[in-house]
Amino acid sequence: MDDCDREGIKRGMCEVHYMRWYRKAMRDGTFVRIQRRSDSIPPDEGVEEFEMLMQHTTDMLLACRRLGVHPRTVIRWHKRAEKPVPQGLWQADKVASTRVA
């Protein structure tokens, strides 16, 4: 917003103005959810790609980066495919979530 001095967080708006826009858009039905790349990949394929990468590296964070997804996405793929989440993936998620850009 032009007259707002707060730092832009989402869509160039501060949290207050974004939430105001979001509530209005949801009420009017004009809000369009952007499909994530991870939603377009079937969980079984995502798990298979991750496991293939893990055969060549021990760094789970690196494997996630090569796939172009966040570790939490890989966790979600495993859960949706009803496969056990690999040991250490939660730790990779924690590291990726606490990194400073």
Side-chain angles (χ1 to χ4, degrees):
M1 308 296 315
D2 293 334
D3 59 345
C4 181
D5 295 334
R6 296 184 201 104
E7 185 178 334
I9 295 175
K10 298 175 185 173
R11 295 186 183 232
M13 294 178 257
C14 72
E15 187 70 24
V16 172
H17 285 104
Y18 174 79
M19 289 309 295
R20 186 179 299 157
W21 168 84
Y22 178 81
R23 283 191 296 271
K24 182 182 181 315
M26 290 301 283
R27 209 173 30 247
D28 297 347
T30 57
F31 181 76
V32 177
R33 186 172 302 280
I34 299 169
Q35 184 178 13
R36 296 178 290 203
R37 178 182 178 272
S38 61
D39 291 339
S40 63
I41 298 173
D44 289 332
E45 285 182 28
V47 169
E48 188 177 312
E49 284 185 48
F50 179 75
E51 289 174 351
M52 184 191 71
L53 282 172
M54 288 306 297
Q55 292 174 0
H56 303 286
T57 184
T58 57
D59 187 351
M60 292 192 177
L61 201 51
L62 179 62
C64 293
R65 283 192 190 132
R66 287 187 177 169
L67 285 172
V69 296
H70 193 275
R72 196 167 301 138
T73 299
V74 179
I75 291 169
R76 187 169 49 245
W77 284 340
H78 278 81
K79 288 184 174 187
R80 287 181 182 167
E82 297 180 357
K83 295 191 177 187
V85 176
Q87 188 175 3
L89 196 52
W90 285 106
Q91 183 63 29
D93 172 56
K94 186 176 180 180
V95 169
S97 298
T98 57
R99 282 210 169 150
V100 177

